[in-house]
Amino acid sequence: ILGTYLEEAPRRSAQPEAVNHIHYPGGTGMSKKELLKRVALFSGLDDKYLDLLAPSCHEKTFHAGDVLVEQGKDGIGLVVISTGKVRVMKGNAGGEQVEVATHGPGEFIGEMTVLDGAPRSASVIAVEDSECLILSNWIFRAAMETHPEIALAILPVVVSRFRETNTQLAALQGA
């Protein structure tokens, strides 16, 4: 059934173009597909896979101070930042919150949870009002199972992000 759902996604998305565009106040005004294409995680995907994923993305607004995801909690999906800015915080052994990264438009969070199903490895807080696209874990996993090329295309980006994070954490421990 899920395979049928994923295969029919491009047909279901044949809505008027305005419905598939994001119009945030002061925002991008681009389609979900165009936004995904500008995100490093999805930039290597063929258009047919972007056509498959884009209609499944849901828009969500986070206000400054809102918690997008909480360390140790289950994740609901991958988050793509359309507008705004978020801060990634990780609790250390002493109970202190350490800033690991900041992300803005065109960047993403939550890729690890989508791939391994483990709880969130860090908390993410909106630094300013942020408009995001959310791609649920089960939709993204199903797409990768049905089309392994998606997983192969995103893998180098995920590994690169993992290496960068390890380097940053090592530097923080040495400080």
Side-chain angles (χ1 to χ4, degrees):
I1 295 173
L2 190 52
T4 303
Y5 175 83
L6 290 171
E7 295 299 328
E8 292 178 355
R11 286 190 293 236
R12 282 196 308 276
S13 68
Q15 302 169 5
E17 194 60 47
V19 174
N20 200 25
H21 274 72
I22 304 167
H23 295 285
Y24 301 124
T28 63
M30 68 178 72
S31 72
K32 292 176 185 179
K33 177 182 173 182
E34 290 168 327
L35 181 60
L36 290 180
K37 192 177 237 180
R38 292 175 183 228
V39 174
L41 189 67
F42 300 110
S43 64
L45 291 181
D46 289 342
D47 277 355
K48 66 182 177 180
Y49 301 123
L50 294 171
D51 289 335
L52 184 73
L53 295 171
S56 298
C57 293
H58 300 282
E59 301 167 36
K60 180 142 176 69
T61 301
F62 295 95
H63 298 287
D66 285 353
V67 175
L68 282 70
V69 299
E70 190 174 345
Q71 184 174 343
K73 303 285 184 182
D74 288 336
I76 58 166
L78 179 82
V79 179
V80 174
I81 303 158
S82 305
T83 65
K85 183 177 177 182
V86 302
R87 178 175 291 128
V88 181
M89 305 292 290
K90 190 158 180 71
N92 65 17
E96 296 175 302
Q97 290 292 312
V98 178
E99 183 176 329
V100 179
T102 56
H103 296 297
E107 295 185 284
F108 59 93
I109 59 166
E111 72 282 3
M112 300 297 281
T113 296
V114 170
L115 295 173
D116 68 6
R120 297 289 187 182
S121 61
S123 295
V124 180
I125 299 115
V127 175
E128 55 190 51
D129 289 353
S130 302
E131 303 292 341
C132 301
L133 292 180
I134 313 256
L135 181 58
S136 74
N137 287 344
W138 73 272
I139 294 276
F140 197 22
R141 282 189 198 144
M144 289 188 292
E145 288 172 6
T146 306
H147 304 283
E149 325 63 293
I150 295 173
L152 291 172
I154 69 165
L155 195 55
V157 178
V158 172
V159 170
S160 175
R161 166 82 69 91
F162 184 72
R163 288 180 192 273
E164 288 172 16
T165 301
N166 278 344
T167 300
Q168 290 170 341
L169 289 174
L172 288 172
Q173 288 176 340

